[in-house]
Amino acid sequence: MIRYQDIRGVIALCPTPAKQGADRWDSHDTVDVDETERMIRNLLASGIDGIVLLGTLGEMATLTESEWRTFAQVAVETVQAFDPDFPLFIGATTLNTRDTIARIRFLEALQVKGVFLGRPMWCAMDEHSIITFYKTIADTFPNISIMLYDNPEAFKGVIPTAVYAELAKIPQIVACKYVSLTPKFRADMEVTRGHIRILPLESDWLQAWILYPDDVIACWSSSALCGPEPVLFLRDALRRGDLEAARWISRRIEWAYEPFLARQNFQEFSKYNIALEKIRFDEAGFVHAGPARPPYHIVPPQYVAGAREHARRWLQLVAAVRERTTI
Amino acid sequence: MIRYQDIRGVIALCPTPAKQGADRWDSHDTVDVDETERMIRNLLASGIDGIVLLGTLGEMATLTESEWRTFAQVAVETVQAFDPDFPLFIGATTLNTRDTIARIRFLEALQVKGVFLGRPMWCAMDEHSIITFYKTIADTFPNISIMLYDNPEAFKGVIPTAVYAELAKIPQIVACKYVSLTPKFRADMEVTRGHIRILPLESDWLQAWILYPDDVIACWSSSALCGPEPVLFLRDALRRGDLEAARWISRRIEWAYEPFLARQNFQEFSKYNIALEKIRFDEAGFVHAGPARPPYHIVPPQYVAGAREHARRWLQLVAAVRERTTI
Amino acid sequence: MIRYQDIRGVIALCPTPAKQGADRWDSHDTVDVDETERMIRNLLASGIDGIVLLGTLGEMATLTESEWRTFAQVAVETVQAFDPDFPLFIGATTLNTRDTIARIRFLEALQVKGVFLGRPMWCAMDEHSIITFYKTIADTFPNISIMLYDNPEAFKGVIPTAVYAELAKIPQIVACKYVSLTPKFRADMEVTRGHIRILPLESDWLQAWILYPDDVIACWSSSALCGPEPVLFLRDALRRGDLEAARWISRRIEWAYEPFLARQNFQEFSKYNIALEKIRFDEAGFVHAGPARPPYHIVPPQYVAGAREHARRWLQLVAAVRERTTI
Amino acid sequence: MIRYQDIRGVIALCPTPAKQGADRWDSHDTVDVDETERMIRNLLASGIDGIVLLGTLGEMATLTESEWRTFAQVAVETVQAFDPDFPLFIGATTLNTRDTIARIRFLEALQVKGVFLGRPMWCAMDEHSIITFYKTIADTFPNISIMLYDNPEAFKGVIPTAVYAELAKIPQIVACKYVSLTPKFRADMEVTRGHIRILPLESDWLQAWILYPDDVIACWSSSALCGPEPVLFLRDALRRGDLEAARWISRRIEWAYEPFLARQNFQEFSKYNIALEKIRFDEAGFVHAGPARPPYHIVPPQYVAGAREHARRWLQLVAAVRERTTI
């Protein structure tokens, strides 16, 4: 299993690279296997500390089950070849409990140790239902670690603090991709500390860390797929307690985000999440993410320019970090 | 194909009957096939005018694909044995375009003529995406009729009037399970008349019909699964222009709904839609709906009593209608 | 007092005519007294059945107290000269209970028999607070009739059905400017019938009336200030039970509303309510409403065109009604 | 004028002390003048750095104009006797531009240098309207400083980043009572730095300061009215860059907030803001706030206990700070 203690540093959220034509309704076998391997190898080589696959931007919703298996398998094998204990979490969110269990069975057979789990979202779930859902999965797979996926737009509501308090009692739940800093963050920290590693977004990390330096020792980042250096620089600054450097990079990351819809209007962004993420990845070039799969392949042109500009700013940041690190 | 003109009268929205234990995470083959046949035969015998399967309360989200096939097959065969031209719409909503197409391929092979389609709901879809999604399905299946599923809680937003205007140009889209009467209803009617049969809920029918007596000649009803007589009485009253009778039954239907959460708070109801619907069906006894499948099997006790009381009132209504009809 | 029984027919919601320059921050004495008199006399002469002043579009929020007194006084005197028993309701909504009481004291001295009351809106009010607020006013003024103002955008939430049930027990509360038809309308009708005259918007009237022909015998209309004939035609059609005529005019009213933001997006409209209403009134010419007072004098140009087109359609409707009535 | 540079340290948000019976609709002259003087003197003596009066909890909405004048006058005189240059901001939010100008005229005559301004809230205001509103006030009073009041529940929406960017160009706008930390905070900082002092809540201060140590050098606090020591301790810790002490007090402040509705559910809290604030003040005893004025005097009992428990925790914090400071 992956333990709470094992989750530290930068956890990268990855896309599922797609072949040309993957945005067509009649496409099949759309996973770009070679690019998947390359992406994971490059991430591992970069010194990243964990990998999460098959969330929203990882197109959990739009892969066929067969494609999901293909992608999971190649990813698992690539990671395992590098280090069988490397923290890897694979998405298994579906429309219901039984399908999710079936997906995890498949992963279990691949020796996967961690899953990344949002909740069924056709109907919004109340507190009792959320707790029961995760408890059922944990009871069914006593040896698989769970990273919670807290995305209020996707799953129709936040995970309430009272639910976090209950989930913290489930030993298999070891981490959470957290949404963003609000006053609720501090309440959630208080009820999960020592049990669930709450992962802020990299641009929230410094602000979360300053209050809980012993616990907030990891972040999630999809921007790392535009080039991981800025986030690794932030990690290293926090590890050595260099606040000036942490502040320097945090404010530059914010500047890079400024033209990106994700920062301007999260609710609106959530409609175009997948396509905009893939566009910025392709612009930055660290990974060739390829087209978004239907029906989420459509995005208004005015948002595309912002995603590209954001990626260009990120590349400037990568250069600035290299320069500062070299000196 | 089922044409716009073929949709008239009462269209029943059905549950997917479940065997005991279907609310367990480790259940399989949960479809109660015998009860499914019985339910459909009884509906057909009652004089109902159309059947819709596998919406929200029909547990499209929580059936395994294999169970979905089993249920669809027995339903199709039962209906076809009665009348191959009977308006039957089967749900094929999934998390993405390609999975929905694969489901419809299966239905096509069964000679199914109508599908009932909500949209993928992991991410909310914008206007252009909704239009493209339905157009893609229609283009792929030129001989299958589509009933739209407009449920703002499930699918993260209403279908905007401008989208209805575009969907009305797609010949395969012939009907819509409409959500409820608001001023938007009249705008939606103006852009769809003659092309998409907008189906109000039975309790809205009189109010919708009075403005558009030539077009609003059908309604949807899940309450019909508590006993179809009240809704058939309303249909007959409207057909003969008997406003006093239509008003008499409409206000009694409203009275029956009064304790039901669906009427008191639709957003809250949407969390417990499936379980509460099945509870009222089981209380009324017209169909044995059985337990709700996970994760939607949990419902607060305070809402259960209201669902049962609603069903008891509905049975009183059935009796009152029989008495009035006999006289 | 004005009784429940006295409220029947068309209740017109009026603007507060403003002199040129009233949209300036340094204006004072902005009420156009002559136009106010003319507006009210013309309404009374038209056969309208009730008048409501000083709601949202009546600029209750943006008149100084002194202007409010001036306007109320001239309006009261004009109506009283016509008929002291004519149903007239004057707005007295303020930021708190005591200021509203002080305003009503002023009206009481003018022999005003009816007030139009929304609730304080700095903080949203819960059910108990709403009931207490209205009860306090009713207890303080046992001889003044109250028309409730149910506007969820202005007052941060609808009046819940449970609150209507309690308010129906207060004898002074005799009417309600109702927001729009939703399933909640029927529940609200059931708990208020015989006690609070629920007034639908004129374009909802037929649909509300068909269910409750003995109770929904009045509507509110601000469109009547673009020319009252279409709404009076609808009233007369309903009075004689002429459904064809009622449907004919209702659907044309809907057509006239089509370009108006109020119909397209009520939440967005609520930001520009006052200015857009005054623009359509000025375009139609029945009343010279003049500029909107600050800070609500600003409106995006794209919405202005729709308001003007709506007014032009309304004038076509006035002509059509005259033609049909003549024949 | 009060300049951007003058705003540093802890800015206390105060209630308007009320005499017994102030929660009655027939009360008048409800301001407890003696307690007002005492409250302000005690705050000034404590070393607090600024005072804000007449916001939401300061009952701007529910004081009569005459009471508002009484309270403003005694507050101004008490502060001026201490230090004519002390940063004091007095609320003048009303339902419209002209009434707010009239209120500020009164304050101007008292030599008041700062006003605290939310926007009219009957109708929600769009970006252009917000900018115009504040610009009008600033142009009218070139020598009065403005603190913005950003409260999305009271004023129907946040102040968008694009609006902050425009408001930052108005020299009289020198500060902002900011709502809470979200990703938007960083964007707002970027467009206002050096022009508008954004004041976070005291419990957000450390997290805001760590990113912008040169700019976020002041916070707002209503909890300071339960006893200012914890917030002053935080201020001193940040001034000397003592992160451990800042973290120690910040996390204890969070612990004190834990039972308070304001932290658990801000939207629900906003309904009962005034009464719950006054209850916690009275429980802590630093100021005798007295009853809340109608209609906001009603609060569900379950929320009262949490407010009191919060105040008791705050008093423990005061004791802990004294102990730590003494050592």
Side-chain angles (χ1 to χ4, degrees):
Chain A
M1 285 185 68
I2 304 163
R3 298 166 309 152
Y4 174 80
Q5 296 89 324
D6 301 328
I7 300 162
R8 43 179 62 238
V10 178
I11 313 299
L13 262 92
C14 303
T16 299
K19 296 180 196 163
Q20 283 312 305
D23 52 349
R24 292 178 52 94
W25 63 267
D26 56 356
S27 61
H28 48 92
D29 293 326
T30 62
V31 176
D32 185 336
V33 169
D34 293 342
E35 182 63 11
T36 299
E37 279 189 66
R38 201 180 73 89
M39 168 181 76
I40 290 176
R41 282 196 191 127
N42 285 347
L43 275 177
L44 293 169
S46 77
I48 212 96
D49 305 285
I51 287 178
V52 174
L53 305 175
L54 293 157
T56 301
L57 78 90
E59 294 177 273
M60 184 68 215
T62 54
L63 290 172
T64 64
E65 183 168 349
S66 148
E67 290 168 343
W68 176 86
R69 291 177 187 228
T70 300
F71 178 69
Q73 185 148 4
V74 65
V76 168
E77 287 168 1
T78 310
V79 169
Q80 285 175 346
F82 174 82
D83 174 3
D85 292 330
F86 186 84
L88 170 68
F89 292 86
I90 297 192
T93 305
T94 69
L95 281 172
N96 65 72
T97 309
R98 296 184 297 157
D99 281 349
T100 282
I101 287 174
R103 295 288 181 112
I104 302 178
R105 286 249 178 274
F106 174 83
L107 297 177
E108 192 180 36
L110 295 178
Q111 317 293 337
V112 167
K113 296 174 180 168
V115 295
F116 178 48
L117 276 195
R119 51 198 200 265
M121 83 298 289
W122 185 304
C123 303
M125 286 169 75
D126 73 359
E127 299 197 359
H128 185 20
S129 297
I130 298 173
I131 294 164
T132 302
F133 171 74
Y134 282 112
K135 196 162 169 23
T136 296
I137 303 298
D139 287 349
T140 309
F141 299 99
N143 297 314
I144 288 188
S145 299
I146 297 171
M147 180 183 290
L148 301 172
Y149 187 5
D150 190 358
N151 180 326
E153 291 299 324
F155 307 121
K156 297 182 174 165
V158 296
I159 299 180
T161 300
V163 172
Y164 271 119
E166 290 303 309
L167 297 179
K169 298 174 187 166
I170 301 174
Q172 291 94 330
I173 300 181
V174 296
C176 176
K177 177 185 174 286
Y178 198 73
V179 55
S180 67
L181 293 194
T182 66
K184 180 176 175 295
F185 162 74
R186 299 189 297 256
D188 294 341
M189 277 305 302
E190 292 298 335
V191 300
T192 57
R193 284 168 59 204
H195 301 282
I196 298 176
R197 180 80 71 209
I198 286 193
L199 306 174
L201 177 60
E202 83 288 291
S203 65
D204 286 333
W205 197 4
L206 171 56
Q207 290 182 297
W209 175 88
I210 194 67
L211 266 180
Y212 300 94
D214 299 330
D215 292 287
V216 186
I217 58 173
C219 78
W220 68 269
S221 178
S222 49
S223 294
L225 273 291
C226 291
E229 291 89 339
V231 196
L232 298 173
F233 179 91
L234 173 59
R235 174 195 68 186
D236 297 340
L238 291 178
R239 280 186 181 165
R240 64 179 189 269
D242 181 348
L243 288 178
E244 186 281 327
R247 188 180 297 131
W248 179 83
I249 190 65
S250 293
R251 280 166 57 172
R252 271 159 190 77
I253 288 174
E254 194 60 36
W255 163 82
Y257 273 132
E258 186 265 324
F260 196 42
L261 184 60
R263 184 54 97 247
Q264 296 162 350
N265 186 335
F266 186 70
Q267 191 176 13
E268 177 77 355
F269 171 72
S270 293
K271 295 183 195 165
Y272 309 108
N273 182 324
I274 300 166
L276 288 174
E277 292 278 1
K278 296 188 100 169
I279 285 165
R280 69 164 171 146
F281 295 150
D282 283 354
E283 180 77 21
F286 183 86
V287 59
H288 300 300
R293 294 164 176 94
Y296 300 127
H297 56 303
I298 293 169
V299 60
Q302 69 268 30
Y303 297 146
V304 172
R308 292 209 171 115
E309 169 61 12
H310 157 62
R312 287 189 293 266
R313 289 189 182 191
W314 192 268
L315 291 180
Q316 288 183 49
L317 218 55
V318 169
V321 163
R322 281 180 188 158
E323 190 178 353
R324 182 164 164 151
T325 315
T326 312
I327 297 161
Chain B
M1 285 187 67
I2 305 162
R3 297 167 309 152
Y4 174 81
Q5 297 89 325
D6 301 327
I7 300 161
R8 42 179 64 238
V10 178
I11 313 299
L13 261 90
C14 303
T16 300
K19 298 180 196 163
Q20 282 313 302
D23 51 351
R24 292 178 52 92
W25 63 266
D26 55 356
S27 62
H28 48 92
D29 294 328
T30 62
V31 175
D32 185 338
V33 168
D34 293 344
E35 183 63 12
T36 299
E37 280 190 67
R38 201 181 72 89
M39 168 181 77
I40 290 177
R41 282 196 190 126
N42 285 347
L43 275 177
L44 294 169
S46 77
I48 213 94
D49 305 285
I51 287 178
V52 175
L53 306 174
L54 292 157
T56 300
L57 78 91
E59 294 177 274
M60 184 69 213
T62 55
L63 291 172
T64 64
E65 183 167 349
S66 149
E67 291 169 344
W68 176 85
R69 290 178 187 226
T70 299
F71 178 70
Q73 186 149 4
V74 65
V76 169
E77 288 168 2
T78 311
V79 170
Q80 286 176 347
F82 175 83
D83 174 3
D85 291 330
F86 186 84
L88 170 68
F89 293 85
I90 297 191
T93 306
T94 69
L95 282 172
N96 65 72
T97 309
R98 295 184 297 156
D99 282 350
T100 283
I101 287 174
R103 297 289 181 110
I104 302 177
R105 287 250 177 273
F106 174 83
L107 297 177
E108 192 180 34
L110 296 177
Q111 318 292 335
V112 166
K113 295 174 180 168
V115 294
F116 178 48
L117 275 195
R119 53 200 197 264
M121 83 299 288
W122 184 305
C123 304
M125 285 169 75
D126 74 359
E127 301 197 358
H128 185 21
S129 297
I130 299 173
I131 295 164
T132 303
F133 171 74
Y134 282 112
K135 194 160 172 24
T136 297
I137 303 298
D139 287 349
T140 309
F141 299 100
N143 297 315
I144 289 189
S145 299
I146 297 171
M147 180 183 290
L148 301 173
Y149 186 4
D150 190 356
N151 180 326
E153 291 300 324
F155 307 122
K156 297 183 174 164
V158 296
I159 299 179
T161 301
V163 172
Y164 272 118
E166 289 304 308
L167 297 179
K169 298 173 187 167
I170 301 174
Q172 291 94 330
I173 300 181
V174 296
C176 176
K177 176 184 175 286
Y178 198 72
V179 55
S180 66
L181 293 195
T182 65
K184 179 175 176 295
F185 162 74
R186 300 190 295 257
D188 294 341
M189 278 303 303
E190 292 298 336
V191 299
T192 57
R193 286 167 60 203
H195 301 282
I196 299 176
R197 180 80 72 207
I198 285 192
L199 305 174
L201 176 62
E202 85 284 292
S203 65
D204 286 333
W205 197 4
L206 171 56
Q207 290 182 300
W209 174 89
I210 194 66
L211 266 180
Y212 299 96
D214 299 330
D215 293 286
V216 187
I217 59 173
C219 78
W220 68 268
S221 179
S222 49
S223 294
L225 273 290
C226 291
E229 290 90 339
V231 196
L232 297 173
F233 180 93
L234 173 59
R235 173 196 68 187
D236 296 341
L238 291 178
R239 280 186 180 164
R240 64 181 190 268
D242 181 348
L243 287 179
E244 185 280 330
R247 189 180 297 131
W248 178 83
I249 189 64
S250 293
R251 280 166 57 172
R252 273 160 187 74
I253 288 174
E254 193 59 36
W255 163 82
Y257 272 131
E258 187 264 323
F260 196 42
L261 184 60
R263 183 54 96 247
Q264 296 162 350
N265 185 336
F266 185 69
Q267 192 176 12
E268 178 76 355
F269 170 71
S270 294
K271 295 183 195 165
Y272 310 108
N273 182 324
I274 299 166
L276 288 174
E277 292 278 1
K278 296 189 100 169
I279 285 165
R280 69 165 173 144
F281 295 151
D282 283 355
E283 180 76 22
F286 183 85
V287 59
H288 299 300
R293 293 162 177 97
Y296 299 127
H297 56 302
I298 293 169
V299 61
Q302 68 269 28
Y303 297 146
V304 172
R308 291 208 171 114
E309 169 62 13
H310 158 62
R312 286 190 292 268
R313 289 189 181 190
W314 191 269
L315 292 181
Q316 287 183 48
L317 217 57
V318 169
V321 163
R322 281 182 187 152
E323 190 178 353
R324 182 164 165 154
T325 315
T326 312
I327 297 160
Chain C
M1 286 186 67
I2 305 162
R3 299 166 309 153
Y4 174 80
Q5 297 88 325
D6 301 328
I7 299 162
R8 43 178 63 237
V10 178
I11 314 298
L13 261 92
C14 303
T16 299
K19 297 179 195 164
Q20 281 314 302
D23 52 349
R24 292 178 51 92
W25 63 267
D26 55 356
S27 62
H28 48 90
D29 293 328
T30 62
V31 175
D32 186 336
V33 169
D34 293 344
E35 183 62 12
T36 299
E37 280 189 67
R38 200 182 72 89
M39 168 182 77
I40 290 177
R41 282 197 190 123
N42 285 347
L43 275 177
L44 293 169
S46 77
I48 213 96
D49 305 285
I51 287 178
V52 174
L53 306 175
L54 293 156
T56 300
L57 78 91
E59 292 176 276
M60 184 69 214
T62 54
L63 290 173
T64 63
E65 183 167 351
S66 149
E67 290 169 344
W68 176 86
R69 290 177 187 227
T70 299
F71 178 70
Q73 186 149 2
V74 66
V76 169
E77 288 168 0
T78 310
V79 169
Q80 286 176 347
F82 175 83
D83 174 2
D85 292 329
F86 186 84
L88 170 69
F89 292 86
I90 297 192
T93 305
T94 68
L95 282 173
N96 65 72
T97 309
R98 295 184 298 157
D99 281 349
T100 283
I101 287 174
R103 296 288 181 110
I104 302 177
R105 286 249 178 275
F106 175 82
L107 297 177
E108 192 180 35
L110 295 178
Q111 317 292 337
V112 166
K113 295 174 180 168
V115 294
F116 179 47
L117 275 195
R119 52 199 199 266
M121 81 300 288
W122 184 304
C123 304
M125 286 169 75
D126 73 359
E127 300 197 359
H128 185 20
S129 297
I130 299 173
I131 294 164
T132 302
F133 171 74
Y134 282 112
K135 196 161 170 24
T136 297
I137 304 298
D139 287 349
T140 309
F141 299 99
N143 297 314
I144 289 187
S145 299
I146 297 170
M147 178 182 290
L148 301 173
Y149 186 4
D150 190 358
N151 180 326
E153 290 300 323
F155 307 122
K156 297 182 174 167
V158 295
I159 299 180
T161 300
V163 172
Y164 272 118
E166 290 304 308
L167 297 179
K169 298 173 187 167
I170 300 174
Q172 291 93 332
I173 300 180
V174 297
C176 177
K177 177 185 174 285
Y178 198 73
V179 54
S180 67
L181 294 194
T182 65
K184 180 175 175 294
F185 162 74
R186 299 189 297 256
D188 294 340
M189 278 304 301
E190 292 299 336
V191 299
T192 57
R193 285 168 59 205
H195 300 283
I196 298 176
R197 179 81 71 208
I198 285 192
L199 306 174
L201 177 61
E202 84 286 292
S203 65
D204 285 333
W205 196 4
L206 170 57
Q207 290 182 298
W209 175 88
I210 193 68
L211 266 181
Y212 299 96
D214 299 329
D215 293 286
V216 186
I217 59 173
C219 78
W220 68 268
S221 178
S222 49
S223 295
L225 272 290
C226 290
E229 290 89 340
V231 196
L232 298 172
F233 179 93
L234 173 59
R235 174 196 69 187
D236 297 341
L238 291 179
R239 280 187 180 163
R240 63 179 190 269
D242 181 349
L243 288 179
E244 185 280 329
R247 188 180 297 130
W248 179 83
I249 190 64
S250 293
R251 280 165 59 170
R252 271 159 189 77
I253 287 174
E254 194 59 36
W255 163 82
Y257 272 130
E258 187 265 323
F260 195 42
L261 184 60
R263 183 54 96 248
Q264 296 162 350
N265 184 336
F266 186 69
Q267 191 176 13
E268 178 76 354
F269 171 73
S270 292
K271 295 183 195 166
Y272 310 107
N273 182 323
I274 300 166
L276 289 174
E277 292 278 1
K278 295 189 100 168
I279 286 165
R280 70 167 171 142
F281 295 150
D282 282 354
E283 180 76 21
F286 183 84
V287 57
H288 299 302
R293 293 163 177 96
Y296 300 127
H297 56 303
I298 293 169
V299 61
Q302 69 269 29
Y303 298 146
V304 171
R308 291 208 171 115
E309 169 61 13
H310 158 62
R312 287 189 292 268
R313 289 189 182 191
W314 191 270
L315 292 180
Q316 288 183 48
L317 217 56
V318 170
V321 163
R322 281 182 187 154
E323 191 179 353
R324 181 164 165 154
T325 317
T326 313
I327 296 160
Chain D
M1 287 186 67
I2 304 162
R3 299 166 308 153
Y4 174 79
Q5 297 88 325
D6 301 328
I7 299 162
R8 41 178 64 235
V10 178
I11 313 298
L13 261 92
C14 303
T16 299
K19 297 180 197 163
Q20 282 312 304
D23 51 350
R24 291 178 53 92
W25 63 266
D26 55 356
S27 61
H28 47 91
D29 293 328
T30 62
V31 176
D32 186 336
V33 169
D34 293 342
E35 183 62 12
T36 299
E37 278 189 68
R38 201 181 72 88
M39 169 181 77
I40 289 177
R41 283 197 190 125
N42 285 346
L43 276 177
L44 294 169
S46 77
I48 213 96
D49 304 287
I51 287 178
V52 174
L53 305 175
L54 294 157
T56 300
L57 78 91
E59 294 178 272
M60 184 69 214
T62 55
L63 290 172
T64 64
E65 183 168 350
S66 148
E67 290 168 344
W68 175 86
R69 289 177 187 227
T70 299
F71 178 69
Q73 186 150 4
V74 66
V76 168
E77 288 168 0
T78 309
V79 169
Q80 285 175 347
F82 175 82
D83 174 3
D85 292 330
F86 187 84
L88 170 68
F89 292 86
I90 297 192
T93 306
T94 69
L95 282 172
N96 65 71
T97 308
R98 296 184 297 157
D99 282 349
T100 282
I101 287 175
R103 296 288 181 111
I104 302 178
R105 286 248 177 275
F106 174 82
L107 297 177
E108 192 179 36
L110 295 177
Q111 318 292 335
V112 167
K113 295 173 180 168
V115 294
F116 179 48
L117 276 195
R119 51 199 199 265
M121 83 298 289
W122 183 306
C123 303
M125 285 168 74
D126 73 359
E127 300 197 358
H128 185 18
S129 296
I130 299 173
I131 295 164
T132 302
F133 171 73
Y134 282 112
K135 196 162 169 24
T136 298
I137 304 298
D139 287 349
T140 309
F141 299 99
N143 297 313
I144 288 187
S145 300
I146 297 170
M147 179 183 290
L148 302 173
Y149 186 4
D150 190 357
N151 179 326
E153 291 299 323
F155 307 121
K156 297 182 175 166
V158 295
I159 298 180
T161 300
V163 172
Y164 272 118
E166 289 304 307
L167 297 179
K169 298 173 186 165
I170 301 174
Q172 291 95 330
I173 300 182
V174 296
C176 176
K177 179 186 173 285
Y178 198 73
V179 55
S180 67
L181 294 194
T182 65
K184 180 175 175 294
F185 162 74
R186 299 190 297 256
D188 294 342
M189 277 304 302
E190 292 298 336
V191 300
T192 58
R193 285 168 59 205
H195 300 284
I196 299 176
R197 180 81 71 210
I198 286 194
L199 306 174
L201 177 61
E202 84 286 292
S203 65
D204 286 332
W205 197 2
L206 170 56
Q207 290 182 299
W209 175 88
I210 194 65
L211 266 181
Y212 299 95
D214 300 329
D215 293 286
V216 186
I217 58 173
C219 79
W220 68 269
S221 178
S222 49
S223 295
L225 272 290
C226 291
E229 291 89 338
V231 197
L232 298 174
F233 179 92
L234 173 59
R235 174 197 66 188
D236 297 341
L238 291 179
R239 279 186 182 165
R240 63 179 189 269
D242 181 348
L243 288 179
E244 185 281 328
R247 188 180 296 132
W248 179 83
I249 190 65
S250 292
R251 280 165 58 172
R252 272 160 188 76
I253 288 174
E254 194 58 37
W255 163 82
Y257 273 131
E258 186 265 324
F260 196 43
L261 184 60
R263 184 54 95 246
Q264 296 162 350
N265 185 336
F266 186 70
Q267 192 176 13
E268 178 77 355
F269 170 72
S270 293
K271 293 182 194 165
Y272 310 108
N273 182 324
I274 300 166
L276 288 174
E277 292 278 1
K278 296 189 100 170
I279 285 165
R280 69 166 173 144
F281 295 151
D282 283 355
E283 180 76 20
F286 183 86
V287 59
H288 300 300
R293 293 164 176 94
Y296 299 127
H297 57 303
I298 294 169
V299 59
Q302 69 269 29
Y303 297 147
V304 172
R308 292 208 171 115
E309 169 62 12
H310 158 62
R312 286 190 294 267
R313 290 189 181 191
W314 190 269
L315 291 181
Q316 288 183 48
L317 218 55
V318 170
V321 163
R322 282 181 187 153
E323 190 178 352
R324 182 164 164 152
T325 315
T326 312
I327 297 161

